Amino acid sequence: MTAGPSEAGAPPPGCPAHEGRYPLYELGADAPAVYERLRTRGPVVPVELSPGVPASLVTGYDEALQVLRDPTTFRKDPRGWQETVPEDCPVLPLMMYRPNCRLADGAAHSRLRLAVTDSLERVDVFALRGYVEKNADVLIGRFAGRGAGDLVADYARVLPLLVFNEMFGCPPDVGDRLVLGMSGIFDTVNAKQSNEIMRDAVLELVRLKRREPAQDVTTWLAEHPVQLTDEELMHQILTLLGAGTEPTQNLIVNGLRLLLSDERFAGDLSGGNLQVEDALDEILWTDPPLANFAITYPAEDVEFRGVTLPKNQPVVISLAAANTDPALAGEHRGGNRAHLSWSAGPHTCPAQGQARLIASAAIEKVLDALPDMELAVPAHMLTWRPGPFHRALHSLPVNFPPVTVTTGIVSTPIPAADVTAPQEGLAAVLTARKPEYRPEPTSRLGHWRRATRDWFRRL
């Protein structure tokens, strides 16, 4: 279990290198406690995103909204900051300038975002749910007969990208490299190499769709009236894949962790307990998949809530801390979706509807297929991946009664492939035949989990 460097939520005593800044890159299991302690220093606190990379972290809800709704003062373009960090900076690949709608301001942002939103609106939500269910069938079938699995490595790590591959018309071999590159960037491990892998893969996809257009998001972006260049097209795709895969994986996993560990969700739906349709809202309020992000850069030195925010130095919104601001106590119940997990203002996530649908369908599918699934370890023993940006588990091990899996008429084993090694496993998963499930009904909890289908379809 990864812990913060001190009980006070501050840098190690006597460590002058941090200059009083909390090392956000060490954030892990104790994240909620760290946010609570940082709040004692005010709604804006000094942090480091990686060693020697200073930033300001906004932990207050009202303060976060003020930053996110003021694109004139707090700009998205990171190029002024980028000039101040070395090329091997671990967080650079995730924060560096790219000509995409997330990092553009003003008219450039409006133009790029229009292409993205128009293209996403053409996605058929029924087809999208079908993509999720089909690929979930394949993945679940690979471990259902074992009676045990890891819902990160065996399921959630791969499923969103399989779905996005279909949305974007992405060949399996390109998808292999995208999984590898995206994971490395978010973990800030070999981030520069991971960035190159991902860039080359998407550029190959762009060139393919220019030659062979189809009914997919890549083609719709390429044919949009704003006339994106190949470079712009590549970076819109990278942005959507980045926002739609790693964070969606974390949303699925964190949602399943809650459902499998919190007794509020194991009760009778008619008994007045928290309804299952609120499960994802609960996670988006308390454990958002991107815990600290929505990064901006002051256009000039600015005094903000008693703190000087230097020009071009990153101002990071702690979405997790803002959502759990004590000033909002009790506000996240009853279907309230005013959380900041999709950001706010002109840069609100344009793919939030698709991401939520993927997550809810993925959770529904695995609970329906494995209704008696239980955590293999106590919830407090689950370990979190350290890092400044995400809220992500290393693994989510589960046990369940083995399920009979058949493909068509003849019972056959699902082809073996290592989906924990993305560069080798995705293509095999994509070509596996869709299985059917014949779980035996058992416990009352199992019947309850079957009932979650109807509730998640209402999300």
Side-chain angles (χ1 to χ4, degrees):
M1 181 178 296
T2 303
S6 79
E7 287 299 316
C15 181
H18 290 298
E19 298 179 346
R21 296 180 176 274
Y22 179 82
L24 205 63
Y25 52 89
E26 296 182 3
L27 196 64
D30 63 344
V34 169
Y35 299 140
E36 183 178 352
R37 292 161 187 161
L38 289 177
R39 287 193 194 97
T40 65
R41 301 171 62 183
V44 183
V45 295
V47 297
E48 280 189 328
L49 300 179
S50 63
V53 180
S56 298
L57 185 72
V58 180
T59 61
Y61 183 89
D62 290 341
E63 291 77 10
L65 278 179
Q66 184 176 342
V67 170
L68 294 171
R69 291 174 174 174
D70 184 1
T72 301
T73 303
F74 298 98
R75 298 178 181 174
K76 301 294 287 188
D77 191 326
R79 282 176 285 189
W81 165 79
Q82 194 170 323
E83 294 173 355
T84 70
V85 298
E87 291 186 1
D88 61 352
C89 174
V91 296
L92 182 58
L94 194 62
M95 296 173 60
M96 67 187 296
Y97 175 75
R98 306 174 194 268
N100 62 38
C101 60
R102 183 173 69 83
L103 299 177
D105 298 298
H109 169 253
S110 298
R111 170 178 169 268
L112 296 174
R113 187 177 173 95
L114 181 64
V116 169
T117 54
D118 284 353
S119 298
L120 289 176
E121 284 176 359
R122 296 181 66 174
V123 175
D124 185 316
V125 294
F126 297 104
L128 180 56
R129 177 173 283 275
Y131 296 156
V132 178
E133 293 179 346
K134 176 182 67 175
N135 287 293
D137 279 341
V138 173
L139 292 173
I140 297 168
R142 296 180 54 78
F143 64 90
R146 299 201 308 257
D150 174 5
L151 294 182
V152 175
D154 294 335
Y155 190 61
R157 178 181 294 161
V158 182
L159 180 57
L161 193 54
L162 293 176
V163 174
F164 270 72
N165 281 353
E166 297 207 45
M167 285 177 61
F168 285 80
C170 185
D173 62 318
V174 175
D176 289 353
R177 286 175 277 155
L178 288 173
V179 174
L180 185 64
M182 196 69 65
S183 297
I185 285 179
F186 273 92
D187 282 335
T188 66
V189 176
N190 296 323
K192 184 177 180 180
Q193 179 184 6
S194 297
N195 182 60
E196 293 172 354
I197 291 170
M198 193 169 62
R199 177 189 172 93
D200 290 346
V202 174
L203 187 57
E204 183 178 328
L205 174 63
V206 166
R207 290 169 177 166
L208 171 65
K209 292 303 174 178
R210 293 287 196 195
R211 297 191 309 269
E212 302 175 19
Q215 291 299 304
D216 53 54
V217 174
T218 304
T219 300
W220 298 332
L221 284 167
E223 296 177 345
H224 195 276
V226 302
Q227 298 183 327
L228 299 174
T229 66
D230 279 3
E231 183 80 1
E232 290 174 333
L233 176 54
M234 177 181 69
H235 286 294
Q236 307 324 302
I237 294 170
L238 282 171
T239 297
L240 289 169
L241 287 171
T245 53
E246 170 81 14
T248 304
Q249 164 195 319
N250 298 337
L251 182 56
I252 293 168
V253 172
N254 294 349
L256 285 167
R257 178 190 61 81
L258 179 68
L259 287 163
L260 293 172
S261 64
D262 194 318
E263 62 183 12
R264 291 174 299 163
F265 293 93
D268 187 341
L269 290 176
S270 64
N273 293 332
L274 189 66
Q275 293 182 346
V276 178
E277 69 178 60
D278 290 332
L280 288 184
D281 285 326
E282 176 87 358
I283 287 299
L284 289 167
W285 275 104
T286 61
D287 261 332
L290 278 181
N292 305 296
F293 210 60
I295 304 167
T296 64
Y297 306 84
E300 303 290 343
D301 290 355
V302 59
E303 291 296 319
F304 183 79
R305 303 297 174 104
V307 176
T308 299
L309 301 178
K311 177 181 178 180
N312 290 330
Q313 188 179 102
V315 175
V316 181
I317 304 300
S318 181
L319 307 170
N323 286 348
T324 54
D325 188 332
L328 299 177
E331 291 297 317
H332 63 279
R333 300 302 185 204
N336 186 337
R337 294 184 181 176
H339 56 74
L340 301 182
S341 295
W342 307 117
S343 191
H347 287 272
T348 301
C349 176
Q352 60 183 279
Q354 289 82 3
R356 186 177 178 111
L357 188 154
I358 292 169
S360 61
I363 292 171
E364 167 197 328
K365 194 69 178 178
V366 72
L367 290 176
D368 187 44
L370 307 171
D372 294 295
M373 182 168 54
E374 297 179 346
L375 289 180
V377 299
H380 70 272
M381 293 183 64
L382 296 170
T383 59
W384 298 89
R385 288 158 50 192
F389 303 120
H390 55 209
R391 178 67 166 165
L393 285 170
H394 279 290
S395 63
L396 188 63
V398 292
N399 294 322
F400 48 85
V403 173
T404 300
V405 180
T406 59
T407 57
I409 299 175
V410 180
S411 179
T412 61
I414 300 298
D418 181 7
V419 297
T420 65
Q423 68 275 23
E424 299 176 2
L426 262 179
V429 172
L430 280 168
T431 57
R433 289 188 295 172
K434 179 178 177 179
E436 294 179 86
Y437 299 97
R438 297 175 182 173
E440 297 179 2
T442 49
S443 70
R444 176 174 175 271
L445 183 58
H447 288 300
W448 168 81
R449 286 182 180 147
R450 287 171 181 271
T452 61
R453 290 179 303 181
D454 296 332
W455 289 100
F456 275 114
R457 283 177 179 144
R458 293 174 55 191
L459 292 176

